[in-house]
Amino acid sequence: MDYTMKISSSPHIRDKETTTNIMGQVIVALMPATIFGIYNFGMDALVTVLITVLSCIVFEGIYQKLFGLKVTISDLSAALTGLLLALNLPPKVPFWLPIIGSFFAIIVVKQLFGGLGQNFMNPALGARCFLLISFTGRMTTFTYDAVTTATPLAELKSGGSVDVVSMAIGTIPGTIGETSAMALLIGGVFLLFRRIINYRIPLYYIGSFSVFIMIYAIASGRGFDWSFLLAHLCGGGLMLGAFFMATDYVTSPITPRGRVLFGIILGLLTFLFRIFGGSAEGVSYAIIIGNLLVPLIERVTVPKAFGKGAVKHE
């Protein structure tokens, strides 16, 4: 009898879901926020979304053709990266800015590190942070109803008051996809229902952030200020980051305890950046730093092999 065993590389667990199917479902989940963003900001938002998505697809196709790689634009990963990047941009940015951001996301963050599955940080967020550092003025100028104004979180940070209901609905200035917390929640619930994402990261991210914010509110003399908490939950792209970018398969932990720890770290970092940092936001930088910590998080949360640590009896 031949007992020869064939050894193959991971993964060893197969699933009926394909990359294209998963990416497509995430794109569908982003449609409520995308459609509302276009409704809220008009044609400028639509043009920005189209330019960014097409740029990401074109850059991925060109790179793979030039280096003799299999062209994988049909798996929708480049389209999803473009959509996420577009939703993180102000609606009135000049056309060349999303093109530069798309190049950075696809070529620098994704392809130069080996393509899909090899990138060490979320490509869309990496590009957004790059654009924020390089073109701060254009990335932090928001126009709403033809008036240039600050975002609600910026108003809150400077001591002003905000309309929490408007923040929940989305009729506020901000980036294209971050304004409507309700639309993002609808998409997030869809992904949870379809089991595309795991509940641990968004739950512990939003939950720990809420705890830190309430502790700060009490310590600073605000008391149990629920409107302060709700404003922070609805603003600054927290819902977009928690459900759609922190849960990225490639750049988030795979262990259950790792996902819990990852979510708590993101909640803490977002809290620190928003309250004590120079910006009123903080989600993007928190997730990028969290991505860099993932190898360490997985190392300290890896489950023990069955039987490891057992006492051997003679």
Side-chain angles (χ1 to χ4, degrees):
M1 185 178 293
D2 184 9
Y3 290 101
T4 303
M5 300 180 68
K6 294 182 179 180
I7 307 298
S8 63
S9 61
S10 61
H12 302 293
I13 300 175
R14 304 297 179 180
D15 192 274
K16 63 180 180 180
E17 295 284 5
T18 64
T19 299
T20 304
N21 188 22
I22 292 171
M23 299 296 170
Q25 292 192 65
V26 178
I27 290 173
V28 169
L30 284 168
M31 283 301 101
T34 304
I35 293 170
F36 185 86
I38 294 169
Y39 164 79
N40 199 30
F41 297 111
M43 288 301 296
D44 290 322
L46 176 59
V47 171
T48 298
V49 169
L50 292 176
I51 290 175
T52 314
V53 172
L54 289 174
S55 296
C56 283
I57 294 173
V58 169
F59 282 132
E60 179 144 301
I62 290 175
Y63 180 92
Q64 292 173 333
K65 276 287 188 182
L66 286 176
F67 288 90
L69 304 173
K70 179 182 177 182
V71 177
T72 59
I73 58 175
S74 61
D75 67 10
L76 300 180
S77 63
L80 177 58
T81 296
L83 182 57
L84 284 170
L85 176 57
L87 297 183
N88 277 281
L89 297 176
K92 288 187 176 295
V93 292
F95 76 92
W96 49 265
L97 195 142
I99 295 176
I100 293 175
S102 298
F103 177 87
F104 190 87
I106 296 297
I107 305 300
V108 178
V109 180
K110 185 180 179 183
Q111 292 298 335
L112 290 183
F113 285 89
L116 182 64
Q118 305 299 319
N119 46 285
F120 68 99
M121 68 171 66
N122 184 286
L125 281 184
R128 181 175 192 249
C129 292
F130 166 75
L131 293 176
L132 276 170
I133 294 170
S134 305
F135 309 99
T136 306
R138 295 184 184 275
M139 287 290 292
T140 55
T141 300
F142 301 99
T143 302
Y144 191 69
D145 285 341
V147 177
T148 301
T149 183
T151 63
L153 284 188
E155 290 282 352
L156 194 64
K157 191 177 181 69
S158 63
S161 58
V162 297
D163 185 347
V164 175
V165 174
S166 295
M167 294 179 71
I169 297 172
T171 52
I172 56 172
T175 65
I176 296 170
E178 75 177 10
T179 57
S180 178
M182 290 178 59
L184 292 166
L185 276 173
I186 291 171
V189 169
F190 172 80
L191 292 180
L192 290 170
F193 178 76
R194 296 289 300 168
R195 296 187 178 182
I196 299 300
I197 63 174
N198 184 272
Y199 73 92
R200 289 181 177 86
I201 292 175
L203 174 64
Y204 283 92
Y205 185 179
I206 297 171
S208 62
F209 175 76
S210 300
V211 170
F212 293 132
I213 283 291
M214 290 308 292
I215 292 174
Y216 171 78
I218 296 170
S220 61
R222 289 177 174 270
F224 287 96
D225 190 345
W226 294 107
S227 62
F228 183 70
L229 171 62
L230 290 174
H232 274 284
L233 291 178
C234 292
L238 180 64
M239 296 300 168
L240 180 60
F243 287 105
F244 294 97
M245 290 180 286
T247 54
D248 175 35
Y249 287 4
V250 180
T251 57
S252 62
I254 60 173
T255 62
R257 288 191 302 155
R259 288 169 175 167
V260 172
L261 180 57
F262 183 66
I264 294 172
I265 289 173
L266 297 185
L268 175 60
L269 289 175
T270 303
F271 162 73
L272 292 174
F273 288 146
R274 283 193 181 182
I275 301 300
F276 302 107
S279 171
E281 312 297 338
V283 171
S284 298
Y285 290 113
I287 296 177
I288 289 296
I289 294 174
N291 292 161
L292 299 178
L293 294 175
V294 165
L296 177 60
I297 292 172
E298 291 190 330
R299 179 182 291 271
V300 300
T301 60
V302 63
K304 288 185 178 181
F306 181 74
K308 186 176 182 179
V311 177
K312 184 178 180 181
H313 297 284
E314 298 295 339

